Amino acid sequence: DRMERLTADVMAVHLKLPSVEPFLFLAGQYVDILLADGRRRSFSIASPPSAGSPLELHVRHVPGGHFTSFVFDRLKERSLLRLEGPLGGFFLREEESEPIVMVGGGTGLAPLNAMIEEGRHQGLDRPIHLYWGVRSERDLYATSRIAEWQADLPGFRFTPVLSEPGQDWSGRTGWVHEAVLEDYPDLSGIAVYASGPPPMITAVQAEFPPRGLHPDRLHFDSFEFAPDTAGLASDA
């Protein structure tokens, strides 16, 4: 329906859905976009279910990525795209009561964005501490939205972590999962929702359970940014 450039290499794509039947999904799930050659690309839905249509996707431009280059260079507003979904088992568990630590890497913020927006809509009262890891300050494409969460959600905290900070950055630096471990040496009694590139997810899987995180309280989505397979590769 429309596109909005969030940073130099991240585009918000707003997909207007057919009004024939409602599209029901859980915050955190994703859709597959079906390409003409039979290939498919997976993208998490960044907008909450309560917002309805259009769906918001965050697409990062990957050099050599066939579909992401198409989105940035040739996709026109009002173009028709074929979708399949909703897909995936990454969504906020209502049976949990623990405080939530969210770990996002790059456009891995998208499904976490949907969860927080839906939680705000439904009056979620669990504390949420969002860690968002990006390269540089200009990659923090959702700062105004995050400021709204900080104002509206009493238990919400936000920690941005930059891996390639500029000289004027005074916040946290390094890898986002390491920042979490510095702040939470004991993860027992915490629920973790992690979404980002495979190396980040692998590190979370390896390093968080030994710090007391219960396996049933680790939920994650792994984003694969290999050339020509941009999007979400697997979920658990």
Side-chain angles (χ1 to χ4, degrees):
D1 186 39
R2 67 183 180 90
M3 296 185 292
E4 172 190 3
R5 195 176 282 254
L6 301 177
T7 70
D9 64 352
V10 176
M11 187 86 77
V13 179
H14 300 266
L15 299 177
K16 186 176 182 181
L17 299 170
S19 55
V20 182
E21 55 184 277
F23 183 84
L24 303 175
F25 68 98
L26 298 170
Q29 289 188 298
Y30 67 95
V31 293
D32 274 359
I33 294 179
L34 309 180
L35 309 184
D37 59 7
R39 289 181 291 182
R40 56 180 61 213
R41 296 292 175 269
S42 304
F43 294 97
S44 288
I45 304 167
S47 48
S50 54
S53 180
L55 300 183
E56 180 183 339
L57 311 180
H58 295 169
V59 180
R60 179 175 161 238
H61 191 202
V62 180
H66 166 73
F67 179 71
T68 61
S69 295
F70 167 71
V71 168
F72 275 75
D73 301 334
R74 301 195 305 281
L75 182 63
K76 301 291 189 289
E77 295 190 353
R78 303 193 180 282
S79 297
L80 288 175
L81 293 173
R82 292 177 61 213
L83 294 184
E84 185 178 294
L87 302 165
F90 187 59
F91 54 86
L92 206 60
R93 267 57 178 181
E94 293 184 359
E95 71 275 10
E96 296 176 346
S97 58
E98 295 89 348
I100 298 167
V101 170
M102 292 185 171
V103 193
T107 51
L109 179 73
L112 305 178
N113 183 92
M115 291 177 182
I116 295 168
E117 287 284 348
E118 189 66 12
R120 181 164 70 158
H121 175 75
Q122 294 186 358
L124 181 73
D125 58 2
R126 294 165 66 188
I128 297 175
H129 191 165
L130 170 65
Y131 290 80
W132 187 19
V134 296
R135 286 167 302 183
S136 62
E137 195 168 0
R138 66 177 178 270
D139 297 312
L140 295 168
Y141 61 78
T143 48
S144 59
R145 194 175 294 182
I146 290 169
E148 290 180 12
W149 299 338
Q150 290 174 310
D152 292 353
L153 297 168
F156 179 82
R157 286 190 289 160
F158 172 53
T159 302
V161 184
L162 304 188
S163 60
E164 300 173 17
Q167 291 183 338
D168 56 349
W169 176 254
S170 58
R172 303 289 283 277
T173 62
W175 299 114
V176 64
H177 75 280
E178 292 179 350
V180 176
L181 293 174
E182 289 169 11
D183 295 348
Y184 293 87
D186 181 2
L187 283 165
S188 58
I190 298 286
V192 171
Y193 288 79
S195 176
M200 187 199 91
I201 297 299
T202 299
V204 166
Q205 289 176 287
E207 299 182 35
F208 282 25
R211 297 290 190 93
L213 178 64
H214 194 282
D216 289 346
R217 294 296 182 263
L218 173 55
H219 314 287
F220 61 89
D221 248 343
S222 181
F223 279 59
E224 181 59 76
F225 289 132
D228 208 33
T229 57
L232 188 157
S234 61
D235 65 282

